[in-house]
């Protein structure tokens, strides 16, 4: 699907057809982003912003780059939505502080134990109860969109999606993609199996948190906790292994 290429110049009827054909893609991306945000963030607002990104993708698409329109459209849709979110004060400093505290606790526990720490061990490092730690994980879920998953470049790409894109074929880009893929695979192998499953179902199978909860027979809030924790584990691993000078470092 969407394997065709778009001519360099398209008439208005073809442009309108492409916009209508890709609208479901906009809503899917917006819905996946919105489920990780506070309830006051409107899905309709995200969709409207995503449509602007879609139109930009169609108007600026260059088939000579050997990238499918669907891939390029996702790139622009997500970028437009993320850009709009970064202009909102939707992530209180306290939540950002908690995310950094958890990441630091994971790093410290790993250093002490020389292995992947359990939830109880992370909570102990934070000097809080396991129940309070779980509450922290639920609180920071909205941060996943920009400060945890977002790769820090200006193109709106998730770090965990980056390795699947068919972008530039320059040797340097291919080398970086290969190295990032290796580091991600290494990091994923080091996290608990249930967290591996959650990430796989979410990023590769593109299931929602509710659908994942049904698959693994856990509550949706627990899936949210596991996903946030897994991303923080990977963020910690990549922060230590991926030089900040490489542009794809985590923000």
């Amino acid at each position: 699907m969407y394997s065709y290429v778009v001519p360099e110049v398209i008439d208005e009827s073809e442009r309108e057809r492409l916009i209508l054909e890709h609208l479901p893609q906009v809503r899917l991306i917006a819905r996946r982003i919105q489920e990780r945000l506070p309830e006051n963030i409107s899905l309709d607002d995200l969709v409207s912003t995503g449509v602007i990104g879609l139109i930009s993708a169609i108007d600026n698409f260059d088939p000579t780059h050997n990238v499918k329109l669907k891939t390029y459209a996702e790139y622009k849709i997500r970028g437009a939505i993320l850009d709009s979110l970064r202009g909102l004060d939707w992530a209180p400093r306290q939540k950002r502080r908690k995310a950094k505290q958890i990441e630091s606790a994971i790093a410290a526990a790993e250093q002490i134990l020389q292995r992947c720490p359990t939830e109880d061990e992370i909570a102990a490092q934070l000097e809080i109860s396991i129940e309070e730690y779980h509450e922290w994980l639920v609180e920071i879920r909205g941060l996943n969109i920009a400060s945890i998953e977002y790769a820090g470049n200006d193109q709106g790409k998730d770090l965990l999606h980056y390795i699947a894109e068919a972008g530039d074929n320059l040797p340097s880009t291919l080398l970086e993609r290969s190295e990032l893929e290796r580091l991600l695979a290494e990091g994923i192998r080091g996290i608990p199996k249930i967290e591996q499953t959650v990430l796989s179902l979410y990023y590769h199978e593109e299931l929602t948190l509710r659908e994942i909860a049904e698959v693994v027979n856990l509550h949706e809030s627990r899936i949210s906790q596991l996903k946030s924790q897994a991303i923080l584990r990977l963020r910690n691993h990549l922060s230590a292994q991926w030089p900040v000078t490489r542009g794809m470092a985590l923000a």
Side-chain angles (χ1 to χ4, degrees):
M1 188 176 182
Y2 306 118
S3 60
Y4 54 82
V5 295
V6 178
E8 293 185 9
V9 179
I10 59 176
D11 59 31
E12 282 301 315
S13 61
E14 175 66 5
R15 181 173 180 266
E16 182 177 353
R17 185 189 69 79
L18 289 172
I19 292 173
L20 292 174
E21 185 172 350
H22 288 77
L23 281 180
Q25 183 184 12
V26 174
R27 189 163 187 84
L28 174 63
I29 293 170
R31 181 170 60 84
R32 285 174 58 81
I33 290 176
Q34 196 265 347
E35 72 174 10
R36 292 174 273 172
L37 296 173
E39 293 182 358
N40 63 305
I41 303 298
S42 166
L43 175 61
D44 289 340
D45 288 344
L46 298 183
V47 171
S48 297
T49 305
V51 169
I52 294 174
L54 170 62
I55 293 173
S56 174
I58 291 173
D59 289 345
N60 295 283
F61 181 67
D62 184 351
T64 63
H65 288 168
N66 197 30
V67 177
K68 294 179 181 179
L69 176 57
K70 180 179 182 294
T71 300
Y72 183 61
E74 177 183 351
Y75 193 80
K76 298 292 284 186
I77 293 165
R78 292 181 62 81
I81 294 175
L82 291 176
D83 283 343
S84 71
L85 289 172
R86 284 195 293 275
L88 300 176
D89 185 20
W90 55 270
R93 291 182 180 179
Q94 183 179 8
K95 291 186 178 182
R96 297 187 186 279
R97 191 183 310 118
K98 285 183 177 179
K100 290 181 179 179
Q101 286 179 292
I102 294 174
E103 188 178 347
S104 295
I106 291 173
E110 282 185 352
Q111 184 68 26
I112 294 170
L113 301 169
Q114 294 298 301
R115 59 171 171 77
C116 181
T118 65
E119 289 183 310
D120 290 304
E121 290 164 342
I122 297 171
Q125 187 67 37
L126 288 166
E127 299 182 344
I128 60 177
S129 68
I130 187 66
E131 291 79 16
E132 186 175 0
Y133 175 59
H134 285 165
E135 291 175 3
W136 282 29
L137 290 174
V138 172
E139 285 183 43
I140 67 169
R141 61 177 268 176
L143 294 180
N144 289 354
I145 209 59
S147 64
I148 298 178
E149 294 172 7
Y150 186 66
N153 62 5
D154 60 358
Q155 297 169 313
K157 286 304 295 172
D158 274 3
L159 184 62
L160 296 177
H161 280 282
Y162 176 75
I163 60 173
E165 294 297 341
D168 203 327
N169 288 323
L170 290 174
S172 59
T173 302
L174 293 174
L175 178 62
E176 286 200 349
R177 182 176 295 115
S178 174
E179 176 67 3
L180 179 56
E181 185 175 15
R182 184 188 69 79
L183 290 173
L184 273 174
E186 179 183 273
I188 290 171
R189 284 196 299 271
I191 67 177
K193 293 294 184 182
I194 183 61
E195 293 177 25
Q196 292 182 30
T197 299
V198 169
L199 290 184
S200 177
L201 291 174
Y202 190 86
Y203 288 102
H204 293 286
E205 302 300 327
E206 298 191 342
L207 300 185
T208 65
L209 298 182
R210 180 176 299 178
E211 290 168 340
I212 295 172
E214 293 175 356
V215 170
V216 300
N217 197 28
L218 291 172
H219 195 276
E220 183 178 349
S221 63
R222 181 56 179 155
I223 299 301
S224 176
Q225 294 169 2
L226 292 170
K227 177 175 172 289
S228 292
Q229 184 170 259
I231 292 170
L232 283 169
R233 291 187 197 273
L234 292 180
R235 180 183 170 95
N236 173 65
H237 176 74
L238 291 172
S239 294
Q241 303 292 330
W242 189 255
V244 295
T245 54
R246 290 189 182 183
M248 286 301 297
L250 286 167

